[in-house]
Amino acid sequence: MELGLTLTLCGLGAAFLLPALIIGCNLLYRRKKCTAEGCGLVIDIRVRHSSDNRSLHPVYEYWVDGVRYTSTGGYISNRVPPVGTQVDIRYDPNNPRNSYIFGYDDKVLRILCAVFSVVGLIPFAVCIAIALTLR
């Protein structure tokens, strides 16, 4: 197989596998640090516009030791918890500002990690398939 094609395919695969690795490490770090459990309340839905559509992110509040914190959750298409919904959260007991909606935000990261991983592995699979057919 031609070296240029091989490097292009491997570079393309790596370009998708690197974000998958970063997202996966973020997910593991978040699970390790955010060990305290709490209850949050969705107080707003933040709309973010992108070039192709809009995404809805739940804004939730929670209290730790009498201090109110707010945070914004991830985006899952058409599955945003409505305003007024109580949500289970996990937060870092050493830094309560770091939190996520348990079972929701971690699902977003798992989906993103899986998508980037699969897309990143396709160029490597194509490269291997081409190499095997040229033998």
Side-chain angles (χ1 to χ4, degrees), residues 71-84:
S71 189
T72 303
Y75 166 71
I76 299 179
S77 179
N78 299 324
R79 302 210 177 163
V80 179
V83 172

Side-chain angles (χ1 to χ4, degrees), residues 30-31 34-39 60 62 88-92 96 98-103 106:
R30 188 184 259 188
R31 283 186 181 168
C34 296
T35 56
E37 298 179 7
C39 185
Y60 59 97
Y62 56 101
D88 292 326
I89 64 161
R90 301 292 187 266
Y91 63 90
D92 182 347
N98 294 333
S99 68
Y100 68 95
I101 301 174
F102 182 72
D106 47 348

Side-chain angles (χ1 to χ4, degrees), residues 3-45:
L3 180 62
L5 177 61
T6 302
L7 291 176
T8 301
L9 288 173
C10 290
L12 185 61
F16 282 94
L17 288 176
L18 183 61
L21 179 66
I22 292 169
I23 292 168
C25 288
N26 184 11
L27 180 61
L28 292 175
Y29 177 80
R30 188 184 259 188
R31 283 186 181 168
K32 181 180 176 184
K33 288 292 189 179
C34 296
T35 56
E37 298 179 7
C39 185
L41 179 68
V42 177
I43 57 171
D44 194 15
I45 303 296

Side-chain angles (χ1 to χ4, degrees), residues 57-79:
H57 300 263
V59 177
Y60 59 97
E61 71 175 2
Y62 56 101
W63 295 80
V64 177
D65 296 329
V67 178
R68 179 181 179 258
Y69 296 94
T70 60
S71 189
T72 303
Y75 166 71
I76 299 179
S77 179
N78 299 324
R79 302 210 177 163

